[in-house]
Amino acid sequence: MEKTIDENIQGTALQLENTSKNKRKLYIESYGCQMNFSDSEIVASILANEGFNTTQELNEADLVLVNTCSIREKAEQTVRKRLEKFNAVKKVNPNMKVGVLGCMAERLKSKFLEEEKIVDMVVGPDAYKDLPNLIQEIDQGRDAVNVILSKDETYGDVAPVRLNSNGVTAFVSITRGCDNMCTFCVVPFTRGRERSRNPHSIIAEVNDLWDRGFKEITLLGQNVDSYLWYGGGLKKDFDKASEIQKATAVNFSKLLELTALAQPKMRIRFSTSNPQDMTLDVIETMAKFHNICNYIHLPIQSGSNRILKAMNRLHTREEYFELIDNIKKIIPDCAISQDIIAGFPTETEEDHQDTLSLMEHVKYEYGFMFAYSERPGTPAAKKLPDDVPETVKKRRLQEIIAVQRKHAAYRTGQHVGKIEEVLIEGASKKSKDEWMGRNSQNIVVVFPKENYTVGDFVNVKVNDCTSGTLIGEAVGYSNNN
Ligand code: SAH
Ligand code: F3S
């Protein structure tokens, strides 16, 4: 998923439009992938019906929820540190209750209650509809745990409350869970089996967002290209579906098309694409609709065929190149970003060089790069020794980051001199006289405000750039307004 600042980890206090009849105060913080931020919007919606308004003041909270990430050890440590802070606040505000949501809740289950005395409630990603009951439990002084994973929960019937929203861009979740079983990854264990959300509820959410002034959506899933709706049920049970179900099934390219047609002016992005599941259909649909952005987050993890195999990534380096070549043939200006892991077990210098040479071939616009972090219970942790020394992992990671910086600067520079359509998201961080928006390729563009406003689609002439930002001036509204 396109994510995240600070090695995929970002904590934000979230603000809900407050409902006057609600009396209790909820403080909610999210860490990790975009799906967690999206899930927090579902949780806020469920709790708004239970009498909770959100607050950004930790000190005045009746209930503190932390939506956690388990993807790397560092992500878990960040959450543990936050719990220490909550502990200090609880000394002043002893009635405050603390709940842990998300992947760490699912991974550690009731062990969390033993390990962290501050925690009153542990709720896994598929159990948020049980929150009203769980809160009753903790109100009566008992600890509460629900970490049951589901085969069909997609929260398709919950209207998310948009938290911390810029009013222009929003996430729409389309699948939950993941069946891919990459050997390093904890997600299949914490988020369960892959299931797709009913396309009607997806389109209804997109229509509603448009009616409320939103101009860009990101369709979210661990592996969006594997989206498949045939009336409900797990992806892995599709074989057992009836002939009618099979004939009327909606796959990801169809869903993209339905979304693009439902709201032809809404910008559409999606994340994440797993190379093994991305079909030509999807690329062709992207090319067909102007409102589907020319940007694909396409994690590779490693450039070495031997390591890809050990990771259970079900494609080779050569197949990945073929996919990239097809993307560039069909959408020449398509931006591509990566996830790469440095120092997977048994990785040699030669494997590492393969990763660097793959990067040279693709020249990614953007990247999310990590040192391998062994996750308990994953196939890699069970079968492979974490044998690349920390210093070597760090050095390889730095080399990968340096190459990525060079390529990002090169790709950004390619836009200078062009006129590009930009959707204004808000004021630039550096200057209150400038707007910040993104072009189709997801690159940040800043330009003087003039008379334009947030939510406008503007044509911007790009005059200059830094390594990651385009600098320009508006030359008029684009015809997408
Ligand atoms: N399909 C998911 C992947 C989630 S994990 C998505 O939507 O993004 C995001 C990235 O974290 C992965 O692509 C991988 O590069 C990295 N990652 C996952 N497990 C890891 C581990 N054990 N150590 C280091 N990085 C990891
Ligand atoms: Fe993880 Fe691989 Fe799925 S990285 S989320 S198991 S596609």
Side-chain angles (χ1 to χ4, degrees), residues 1-4 32-42 154 160 162 170-177 191 194-197 202 205-206 217-227 252 255-256 259 268-273 295 297:
M1 282 187 187
E2 180 221 338
K3 35 214 143 176
T4 66
C33 65
Q34 292 166 332
M35 189 65 90
N36 260 5
F37 284 77
S38 169
D39 280 0
S40 289
E41 298 188 334
I42 286 165
T154 60
R162 304 296 163 183
F171 298 131
V172 175
S173 123
I174 66 163
T175 68
R176 295 186 73 84
R191 285 187 165 272
E194 188 178 304
R195 66 216 95 118
S196 296
R197 176 177 168 191
I202 297 172
E205 188 174 332
V206 173
I217 51 146
T218 302
L219 302 175
L220 280 188
Q222 303 299 336
N223 179 12
V224 284
D225 297 77
S226 158
Y227 176 89
F252 184 56
L255 179 73
L256 269 182
T259 316
I268 299 164
R269 301 187 186 277
F270 54 88
S271 190
T272 296
S273 291
Y295 168 57
H297 181 52

Side-chain angles (χ1 to χ4, degrees), residues 1 3 8 71-72 184-185 187 221-222 272 299 301 339-341 370-373 375:
M1 282 187 187
K3 35 214 143 176
N8 232 21
I71 202 78
R72 285 167 290 276
F184 51 81
C185 187
V187 171
Q222 303 299 336
T272 296
Q301 318 296 359
D339 287 348
I340 290 177
I341 297 176
F370 317 99
Y372 174 69
S373 166
R375 306 314 294 133

Side-chain angles (χ1 to χ4, degrees), residues 71 178-182 184-188 222-223 274 301 313:
I71 202 78
C178 186
D179 285 349
N180 271 343
M181 281 293 180
C182 303
F184 51 81
C185 187
V186 78
V187 171
Q222 303 299 336
N223 179 12
N274 190 307
Q301 318 296 359
R313 302 287 287 186

Side-chain angles (χ1 to χ4, degrees), residues 231-260:
L234 292 176
K235 167 86 187 263
K236 71 177 181 55
D237 294 333
F238 181 62
D239 285 350
K240 294 179 218 149
S242 71
E243 287 313 309
I244 294 175
Q245 282 178 315
K246 282 184 183 160
T248 55
V250 176
N251 64 12
F252 184 56
S253 69
K254 185 78 191 152
L255 179 73
L256 269 182
E257 182 174 343
L258 290 172
T259 316

Side-chain angles (χ1 to χ4, degrees), residues 9 33 71 77 89 139 149 153 210 214 238 242 270 278 296 299 307 313 341 346 358-359 386 392 404 422 450 468:
I9 300 157
C33 65
I71 202 78
Q77 283 164 356
V89 175
D139 280 346
L149 287 172
E153 183 60 82
W210 181 261
F214 286 83
F238 181 62
S242 71
F270 54 88
M278 184 154 205
I296 304 173
I307 296 292
R313 302 287 287 186
I341 297 176
T346 78
L358 178 139
M359 293 176 76
D386 184 6
V392 175
Q404 182 52 51
V422 175
E450 301 180 55

